[in-house]
Amino acid sequence: MLVKSVYLHLTKLWLRGGRWVVMCGCLVLFAWCYVRAFQEQKPGWDNAFPEHERAYLNAAIETRRDLTPDFSKSVSQPLNDWLPHRTDGLVRPLWPWLAAWNVEAGHPQSSGLPDAADQRVLRSGKRWMMGLSLGFLLMLGLAAARAFSVPAALLTILTIGFGVLLPSTAAFLPDVLFQILFLLIWICCIAALKRNSLWLYGLIGFLSALANLTLPTTTTLVLVFIGVSSLRWLWGWMLAHLPHAGGTSLWVWRNHWLGMVLLVVCHLITVGPMMASAKEKLGDATPFHWRWFENEAAMQEWTAAHHSRETLQAVPPEEVPSYANYLSTHTPEAVRERFWHGGLKMMEEVLQFPWSFDSLPHERGVFVIVLASILILLLLIIAFVAPRAAHAGQALHPETAPLALFSILACAACTLDFGWDMPVLTWGSRYLALYPPLVLSLLWASESLVHRARRRQMSVPVFVIYEMVLWALCVLAFIRVIAVLQPISFTA
């Protein structure tokens, strides 16, 4: 009885404010380590300047003149030009538009090694990305601490921050922006499947448009959401027209199609300037020619020769790179093989296979496999060990099935989608955008199961072991932070 009394007293102190003191202290330490680790990164521009970074730099220089519109003759056209719209199909306009604010008027195009003016723009862009990612991680940590336990919230920002976002700030590329937007879209889709308020549909459309203005593309993720939510609508419609007992779900099936309209409208309004510019410049509002090449060299050679409306219109229709022409020149076995090898490559890159444990950063797959194992064990405990649910508050969330279906289908579809592009898009870390939603979904599901087990009066040792495992993972993740800050990397 004494042990139980002490445990309850410490629990009350922890819940009343102790957890927030620990969380805020950890966030301050995390922010300091994140900035220090960013400062340790070297630019590497002395000997070579990657062409993909040069493309974004030149796009920012070209966009600079759009930021000083001339309203002397008209209003609508200068305002339309001021919005992010310049694209060649591969370089999307949002990141050059943001970086252009650091470009001085009259800045010449870059052709060789970056000069002092180029380096100032490159450093400013990287610092901006670091600040954006750090601010996002701190907000994510606070939001996670409200819904999760402290170690789960810390593990979220440690794995995402030092495993994905920080490495992506090393290059003058929009990867960080895309990864953040991709995660926000995923969170909004999960929230909309739990409770489909109309504003969530509009937010999904707006965020997915911003992501498509950054990098290609989040369309696959949104299509999976549309498919799963439409199945949920069909199920809700069937229940509404069949005799059944009343449920507790907050998902309103009547909102679905109006929400779909809001999603599409918000998306098209946001990407409209880019589509109009691509139609005028390239003759195609959605130029995805680059996706249908076998490798980056062939893609770069073709796009260098066909970068205007006139040159593209001169190509015979049967020779234009497209999905239909790709299928006509490749066997179904070749298409399946590209999907298969692309999916395997995606898994290797996202989870850092094969594991060697003698290099930095630590393998991301370690955390995913441990978290997946924890989730499976919790599912078994809820199903066979925990007391049965006595009321709706002790049961699983009413929308558990759509949430699980969306998470599984979205992971599989985005793995194949990104994997298809990997032979062509060999630069950057766009593919790492799948890792943050994967980690967050596993932690989100585990915490939800733990909350249900607590409501069912599950025995205390289960929760203690769960918390200890999460704290152990936090220590492992923090070892990565220490290793990153070392002047010389660890070796086995």
Side-chain angles (χ1 to χ4, degrees):
M1 293 296 294
L2 179 61
V3 174
K4 185 176 182 180
S5 176
V6 172
Y7 174 79
L8 292 176
H9 180 69
L10 293 176
T11 300
K12 290 180 180 178
L13 290 176
W14 176 256
L15 294 177
R16 285 176 180 174
R19 65 193 303 271
W20 287 108
V21 173
V22 173
M23 188 66 194
C24 291
C26 291
L27 287 178
V28 171
L29 178 61
F30 171 83
W32 180 83
C33 293
Y34 196 85
V35 174
R36 281 291 308 275
F38 173 79
Q39 293 172 346
E40 293 291 331
Q41 294 178 346
K42 304 301 180 183
W45 300 321
D46 297 333
N47 300 321
F49 187 38
E51 286 300 322
H52 46 271
E53 292 190 52
R54 189 193 311 282
Y56 280 98
L57 175 61
N58 286 332
I61 295 171
E62 186 178 7
T63 305
R64 174 63 180 84
R65 63 176 180 266
D66 296 334
L67 303 183
T68 53
D70 181 10
F71 294 108
S72 60
K73 296 182 179 180
S74 65
V75 175
S76 59
Q77 187 60 41
L79 184 60
N80 185 72
D81 292 341
W82 182 84
L83 296 172
H85 66 281
R86 295 180 180 272
T87 181
D88 61 0
L90 188 58
V91 176
R92 299 299 177 95
L94 186 56
W95 173 231
W97 186 86
L98 292 172
W101 292 94
N102 292 316
V103 177
E104 296 180 353
H107 192 129
Q109 294 278 307
S110 174
S111 57
L113 291 177
D115 56 21
D118 293 338
Q119 292 186 20
R120 185 186 64 82
V121 176
L122 295 171
R123 283 193 296 267
S124 298
K126 291 183 179 183
R127 285 195 292 265
W128 191 90
M129 280 295 189
M130 185 277 294
L132 174 67
S133 61
L134 178 58
F136 172 77
L137 289 168
L138 294 178
M139 295 300 295
L140 178 64
L142 291 174
R146 286 180 58 86
F148 301 167
S149 60
V150 170
L154 289 175
L155 189 61
T156 300
I157 61 174
L158 283 169
T159 52
I160 294 175
F162 287 92
V164 175
L165 296 183
L166 181 64
S168 299
T169 62
F172 186 76
L173 296 173
D175 296 330
V176 171
L177 188 58
F178 181 78
Q179 291 157 2
I180 291 174
L181 290 170
F182 192 89
L183 178 58
L184 289 175
I185 297 166
W186 188 290
I187 293 173
C188 290
C189 290
I190 293 292
L193 287 172
K194 294 176 69 175
R195 183 174 184 174
N196 61 335
S197 299
L198 292 177
W199 68 271
L200 283 172
Y201 287 94
L203 188 59
I204 292 171
F206 176 68
L207 291 175
S208 62
L210 290 181
N212 287 347
L213 289 174
T214 305
L215 279 175
T217 172
T218 56
T219 304
T220 301
L221 178 62
V222 176
L223 288 177
V224 172
F225 167 74
I226 291 174
V228 174
S229 59
S230 297
L231 289 175
R232 178 63 183 88
W233 167 84
L234 180 61
W235 177 248
W237 180 85
M238 292 174 60
L239 290 180
H241 292 79
L242 293 175
H244 68 289
T248 59
S249 176
L250 298 176
W251 204 92
V252 182
W253 65 273
R254 295 180 181 87
N255 284 0
H256 177 66
W257 294 113
L258 180 57
M260 289 291 103
V261 173
L262 284 175
L263 189 155
V264 173
V265 169
C266 291
H267 184 93
L268 292 179
I269 288 176
T270 309
V271 300
M274 182 186 72
M275 297 177 67
S277 176
K279 182 67 175 179
E280 179 182 357
K281 179 182 177 181
L282 304 174
D284 189 350
T286 56
F288 285 101
H289 306 303
W290 52 269
R291 298 199 76 177
W292 313 114
F293 291 92
E294 297 294 336
N295 53 67
E296 184 181 11
M299 182 270 292
Q300 294 286 3
E301 180 181 357
W302 193 89
T303 53
H306 305 84
H307 57 275
S308 65
R309 185 187 186 99
E310 292 74 19
T311 55
L312 285 171
Q313 289 180 342
V315 180
E318 65 275 6
E319 297 180 11
V320 175
S322 64
Y323 175 72
N325 289 338
Y326 188 91
L327 291 182
S328 65
T329 57
H330 292 75
T331 63
E333 290 76 14
V335 175
R336 287 193 294 268
E337 185 177 1
R338 180 165 175 174
F339 272 121
W340 173 255
H341 288 296
L344 292 179
K345 183 65 174 176
M346 267 289 295
M347 293 178 60
E348 292 175 2
E349 295 293 337
V350 172
L351 303 180
Q352 288 185 258
F353 289 138
W355 296 344
S356 59
F357 296 102
D358 61 353
S359 61
L360 297 175
H362 293 310
E363 284 70 8
R364 288 180 288 267
V366 172
F367 298 96
V368 169
I369 289 180
V370 174
L371 291 175
S373 302
I374 292 174
L375 178 60
I376 293 173
L377 287 175
L378 288 173
L379 285 171
L380 294 176
I381 290 173
I382 289 289
F384 300 106
V385 179
R388 300 294 92 186
H391 52 79
Q394 296 180 350
L396 294 178
H397 194 279
E399 307 303 335
T400 297
L403 294 176
L405 180 61
F406 168 78
S407 299
I408 295 172
L409 289 181
C411 280
C414 291
T415 296
L416 295 176
D417 181 33
F418 290 172
W420 176 274
D421 296 335
M422 291 192 79
V424 179
L425 300 184
T426 59
W427 42 267
S429 53
R430 180 185 71 132
Y431 52 86
L432 291 183
L434 192 59
Y435 185 76
L438 186 58
V439 170
L440 186 60
S441 296
L442 291 172
L443 283 169
W444 201 338
S446 299
E447 289 288 313
S448 298
L449 291 177
V450 168
H451 289 168
R452 267 59 181 184
R454 283 200 177 100
R455 293 174 183 175
R456 299 183 191 183
Q457 307 298 319
M458 188 67 187
S459 59
V460 172
V462 173
F463 308 123
V464 174
I465 295 173
Y466 171 75
E467 296 272 343
M468 289 177 61
V469 172
L470 290 187
W471 278 114
L473 289 177
C474 286
V475 172
L476 177 61
F478 191 70
I479 291 175
R480 171 191 296 177
V481 178
I482 298 175
V484 168
L485 296 178
Q486 296 300 309
I488 301 177
S489 299
F490 294 151
T491 55

